[in-house]
Amino acid sequence: MEKMLELNHKKMKAWQYAIELVYQVQLLCHSLPAQERNVLVGQLKRAALSVSNNIAEGAARSSAYERKRFYEIARSSCVEVDNCFEIILRLSYVQPLQLEECLKYNDQIFRLLSKMIDSTIQQGKPPKGS
């Protein structure tokens, strides 16, 4: 079997948490009603996957502007994931405790991405006096 690439994004806490979020979302989706498989489940899985994909892609970009853009997309996907969680709770598909791990990871990712975006904005500013 071929070895996976050793890329920098895999060292990032935000990406590591995002991969765990994808796993937790997969587990959660098994407990959702069958009638939600095509819409809510599919949307939630895509949004969770989008978080890790956009962190990885952003980390591979050379310009601060592009990194920031992908990190913002990843953070927006966290908001989409959170919205799906809200719907799941409002429809009483699961008990709040069943979402605890998912919520914890999503919150941590959102916070880390916000810091990464702020940091990237600072990196992208021209030096004073330019």
Side-chain angles (χ1 to χ4, degrees), residues 9-98:
H9 70 269
K10 293 180 181 181
K11 298 173 189 166
M12 298 169 69
K13 267 296 186 212
W15 181 83
Q16 293 168 6
Y17 289 158
I19 291 299
E20 184 61 29
L21 177 65
V22 171
Y23 175 74
Q24 294 295 329
V25 162
Q26 290 289 335
L27 293 178
L28 171 70
C29 287
H30 290 297
S31 64
L32 297 178
Q35 76 263 20
E36 292 297 346
R37 297 273 193 261
N38 293 332
V39 180
L40 185 57
V41 167
Q43 192 66 33
L44 178 55
K45 286 180 177 182
R46 279 189 298 280
L49 185 59
S50 175
V51 176
S52 63
N53 284 346
N54 281 291
I55 292 169
E57 191 162 354
R61 298 298 173 149
S62 58
S63 80
Y65 174 79
E66 284 186 311
R67 278 193 308 278
K68 175 183 165 280
R69 185 169 62 91
F70 280 97
Y71 296 158
E72 287 173 334
I73 293 168
R75 188 174 63 179
S76 293
S77 292
C78 284
V79 173
E80 187 175 354
V81 166
D82 183 75
N83 189 66
C84 289
F85 292 159
E86 185 70 36
I87 292 165
I88 289 167
L89 286 173
R90 287 193 181 220
L91 294 172
S92 300
Y93 287 153
V94 299
Q95 296 300 312
L97 277 177
Q98 290 175 272

